[in-house]
Amino acid sequence: GAVVSQHPSRVICKSGTSVKIECRSLDFQATTMFWYRQFPKQSLMLMATSNEGSKATYEQGVEKDKFLINHASLTLSTLTVTSAHPEDSSFYICSARDFDGTDSGANVLTFGAGSRLTVL
Amino acid sequence: AQSVAQPEDQVNVAEGNPLTVKCTYSVSGNPYLFWYVQYPNRGLQFLLKYITGDNLVKGSYGFEAEFNKSQTSFHLKKPSALVSDSALYFCAVRDIGGNTPLVFGKGTRLSVIA
């Protein structure tokens, strides 16, 4: 089945530094990937939709200069948290939609294992 | 706007007993409905989905869900719970034909007690 690999799984950084998280679709091509943020005991919040070869689409309230998204190839999207602060500490999860021949809206999202960011 | 409600933060059930995790939804048109499960510090895993056809959908690990259009519900069920089913369960909905992202409920934590 479809596999999405996310790296790193855990990262600790100092306040003010930037952190890059990678999301790769291993056995399929994904023109669209999604980045979510999950707070403790809360649901997933969609941050942005990453489109291969074009600019990401950010959800309302998400700072695009803070959370830089690059989707340079059909199998790789990256999220860079710039000038990270303790309030950016969270669990970040990426996902991709593997086209299964049906309406794309019905396609199953395959999720990465997540990246836990801790900013000191 | 589309939305999902999972009314229970926590569901506790004894091993071997049937379990139900509730989900209701709101969309402007017809829905695509999904259930995902999340284990600690992991991403979400797909369980099952409803697109069209038979209202009873069977998925992974013995789970099933019934689409009820009149009640706008898509409750997740399993006839006999296992301790290993303990996890966080998310219901999600997407409006058919709309170019909208998948919207998740807030999640329900299932604890199966031996």
Side-chain angles (χ1 to χ4, degrees), chain A residues 29-34 49-52 71 74 95-97 109:
Chain A
Q29 294 181 328
T31 56
T32 303
M33 292 185 177
F34 305 90
T49 301
S50 172
N51 304 299
E52 187 269 335
H71 195 152
L74 286 171
S95 69
R97 183 176 288 142
L109 286 183

Side-chain angles (χ1 to χ4, degrees), chain B residues 1-59:
Chain B
Q2 53 196 28
S3 65
V4 176
Q6 291 181 244
E8 302 153 317
D9 291 336
Q10 175 91 32
V11 170
N12 298 318
V13 65
E15 187 176 30
N17 283 2
L19 69 87
T20 299
V21 182
K22 295 180 181 177
C23 171
T24 58
Y25 67 90
S26 174
V27 295
S28 56
N30 291 314
Y32 292 135
L33 292 155
F34 303 79
W35 275 102
Y36 287 84
V37 59
Q38 184 181 31
Y39 296 98
N41 295 310
R42 301 293 300 275
L44 276 67
Q45 296 178 29
F46 169 73
L47 279 180
L48 52 79
K49 68 178 179 180
Y50 171 81
I51 302 176
T52 186
D54 194 346
N55 288 342
L56 183 64
V57 179
K58 294 186 182 297

Side-chain angles (χ1 to χ4, degrees), chain A residues 5 8 12 24 31-32 54 59 66 84 96 108 120:
Chain A
S5 173
I12 301 172
R24 295 181 184 271
T31 56
T32 303
S54 65
E59 296 299 304
K66 174 76 170 177
V108 171
L120 302 177

